[in-house]
Amino acid sequence: MKFAIETLLGNEGLRGFWFPTHSPERRRMDGARKIVCGVAVLLACGLVAAAQTQAPGAHQAKVAQAATSAQHAPLPRFRFENFTTANGLPDNHVYAVLVDGERIWAGTENGLAVYENHAWKTYTTKDGLAHRAVLTLALDKHTGDVWAGTMGGLSRISGGRIDTYTQLNSGLSNDVVYGVSVVGEEVWVATAAGGCRLNLRSGQWTLYNERNTPMNEIWVYGVSATATKVYYAVWGSGVLEYDQQTGRWDKYDDPDGETEMVLFKDQGLIHEIVTSVSFVDNILWAATYFGGSRYDGRYWHNFLTKDSGLPSNFINVIKGVDANRCWFGTDKGLAYYDGANWAVYRPSLTTGKPEMTVRDAQGKTTPVAVTTAPAHNYVLGIDFAGDDVWVATAKGLSHGIRQKQ
């Protein structure tokens, strides 16, 4: 599959990305540009008032308590160091980043790079990598192996050796791998033709698609696996949940269907087109091209630019820190949410100069003077190293070094 990226212009979101007509990437972009019909607008006028129902008092009190605690904690400030081909990266287009102790892995358009001892080393197809375009990365914390999902298969990097799994030599659902997550002795994979699971002990593969799960579409763009639950982000099918104990599937949909107007605020998943999921501290964080969602197992809370600090509803990646804090990677910058307040880090959309803005719980936005910013506004990957943050962007890899306040 040809996968070419020509140019990016920050304040216009994604532009100049050319994909094959029938590729899942084209489907993602087509869905993100759909226009709401007049009937939906009229319907919304009649339903919005009824849809804005409030959660019961106990839940409100719990949320308010978390928000009060967050209000007293200063939002983090960072000094960003940016890496490009000038510093040793094989390509400036970085899809994914993975923190592995003192090593930093970067999945790029032209190979897998690892940063160690202040130097970059690159793995390519000549070293056994499945494909030069590395879309996703995951760490096996037990063995130290790194798993790389690519446009041409799944690769495992173990002690310098690379083993590759494809549709031809394994049970991989599809060679286009968008997500990978490792828990225990199992590797969960999200592909362009459904999800799958590899049992490392037995070597057995299990496939998940429209035949044995509730997914309506098979374009799976992300996976977050834990010992109790596994979540898949699915194009046009919302979020799929797998219970590790019972082996049963559940599905979370947008109650508005695939319309781009929010008719039922906080009544369910914000949209059917889910691009990324993160499950941490029993909280599900979900990203879509039309906003973000948080789900605690009973109540939903949705995030939109009009009522939050999100710089854009077009969210490529989401990464939860804990039950209240989360990072959002959008097409217009990097955003951080502490449970009540927001911070946005980016080059200015108008001047390109470093910019940080803070939005408090009351909706007041304040600029913060900074001298550095992430390499680009189009954020594709996020990971943490202690208090620091690493950010994969369309024009380089960024290391946000937390500053003392």
Side-chain angles (χ1 to χ4, degrees):
M1 178 183 291
K2 186 177 179 182
F3 191 88
I5 297 175
E6 302 296 334
T7 183
L8 286 150
L9 297 180
N11 66 341
E12 296 183 25
L14 185 63
R15 182 176 176 185
F17 274 55
W18 298 97
F19 301 110
T21 302
H22 300 293
S23 72
E25 291 84 2
R26 173 61 62 83
R27 290 176 61 110
R28 294 174 80 169
M29 300 315 302
D30 289 344
R33 294 189 177 105
K34 290 192 294 182
I35 301 174
V36 181
C37 67
V39 174
V41 175
L42 293 175
L43 180 61
C45 294
L47 293 179
V48 163
Q52 306 303 316
T53 57
Q54 297 297 314
H59 176 62
Q60 287 183 338
K62 186 176 180 181
V63 172
Q65 183 180 6
T68 301
S69 300
Q71 287 174 1
H72 297 289
L75 289 167
R77 300 186 185 184
F78 299 92
R79 176 174 60 84
F80 286 95
E81 293 182 346
N82 298 324
F83 299 87
T84 65
T85 53
N87 308 109
L89 273 181
D91 197 279
N92 286 339
H93 192 89
V94 186
Y95 293 106
V97 60
L98 173 68
V99 175
D100 174 18
E102 296 298 317
R103 292 185 292 266
I104 305 298
W105 297 83
T108 81
E109 175 76 7
N110 197 32
L112 173 64
V114 58
Y115 186 69
E116 188 174 19
N117 297 324
H118 306 287
W120 287 98
K121 177 182 178 180
T122 299
Y123 295 93
T124 68
T125 53
K126 294 180 180 180
D127 302 300
L129 195 66
H131 192 278
R132 66 182 180 86
V134 180
L135 308 181
T136 182
L137 296 167
L139 176 67
D140 185 331
K141 295 181 179 179
H142 178 67
T143 64
D145 293 351
V146 172
W147 291 81
T150 79
M151 289 293 292
L154 178 68
S155 293
R156 176 172 63 181
I157 299 89
S158 179
R161 171 181 169 173
I162 299 180
D163 295 309
T164 288
Y165 304 85
T166 68
Q167 289 178 271
L168 294 178
N169 68 5
S170 73
L172 188 66
S173 304
N174 188 275
D175 286 345
V176 179
V177 180
Y178 288 114
V180 60
S181 186
V182 184
V183 58
E185 295 182 330
E186 294 181 327
V187 181
W188 293 79
V189 189
T191 82
C196 56
R197 175 178 60 174
L198 168 63
N199 186 294
L200 294 172
R201 180 182 291 255
S202 66
Q204 180 179 356
W205 290 82
T206 305
L207 305 185
Y208 302 109
N209 50 46
E210 78 283 2
R211 283 175 257 180
N212 58 356
T213 77
M215 68 175 71
N216 300 322
E217 300 281 353
I218 60 174
W219 315 100
V220 184
Y221 290 106
V223 59
S224 180
T226 70
T228 57
K229 304 277 189 178
V230 178
Y231 290 92
Y232 274 117
V234 188
W235 168 276
S237 287
V239 174
L240 264 60
E241 175 190 88
Y242 178 80
D243 189 303
Q244 293 271 36
Q245 183 176 1
T246 66
R248 295 178 179 175
W249 290 92
D250 203 353
K251 182 182 179 185
Y252 301 104
D253 291 300
D254 177 5
D256 309 324
E258 289 196 10
T259 63
E260 274 62 76
M261 177 165 285
V262 178
L263 306 180
F264 302 100
K265 181 71 165 62
D266 292 341
Q267 299 301 299
L269 183 68
I270 192 68
H271 202 274
E272 295 287 273
I273 300 175
V274 185
T275 56
S276 177
V277 284
S278 179
F279 185 61
V280 57
D281 288 352
N282 293 317
I283 298 295
L284 170 65
W285 300 89
T288 81
Y289 280 155
F290 300 91
S293 294
R294 177 187 183 273
Y295 181 56
D296 64 7
R298 186 175 182 184
Y299 299 106
W300 289 89
H301 181 70
N302 294 329
F303 306 99
L304 295 166
T305 54
K306 66 179 182 180
D307 55 16
S308 76
L310 273 177
S312 171
N313 290 329
F314 194 101
I315 308 171
N316 293 307
V317 62
I318 197 165
K319 184 83 171 179
V321 181
D322 53 32
N324 296 308
R325 298 177 296 160
C326 188
W327 288 91
F328 299 75
T330 80
D331 64 334
K332 294 183 179 178
L334 174 69
Y336 171 76
Y337 175 64
D338 70 359
N341 311 290
W342 292 80
V344 174
Y345 313 86
R346 65 184 181 185
S348 168
L349 299 180
T350 55
T351 68
K353 294 181 179 179
E355 175 181 275
M356 175 182 173
T357 56
V358 171
R359 184 186 189 273
D360 64 24
Q362 287 70 45
K364 180 182 178 182
T365 301
T366 306
V368 177
V370 291
T371 58
T372 62
H376 195 268
N377 288 323
Y378 201 86
V379 178
L380 292 161
I382 302 168
D383 205 1
F384 321 121
D387 289 332
D388 290 1
V389 61
W390 285 83
V391 187
T393 83
K395 292 288 182 69
L397 178 69
S398 300
H399 177 200
I401 303 168
R402 180 77 176 264
Q403 302 297 289
K404 294 181 179 180
Q405 296 173 241

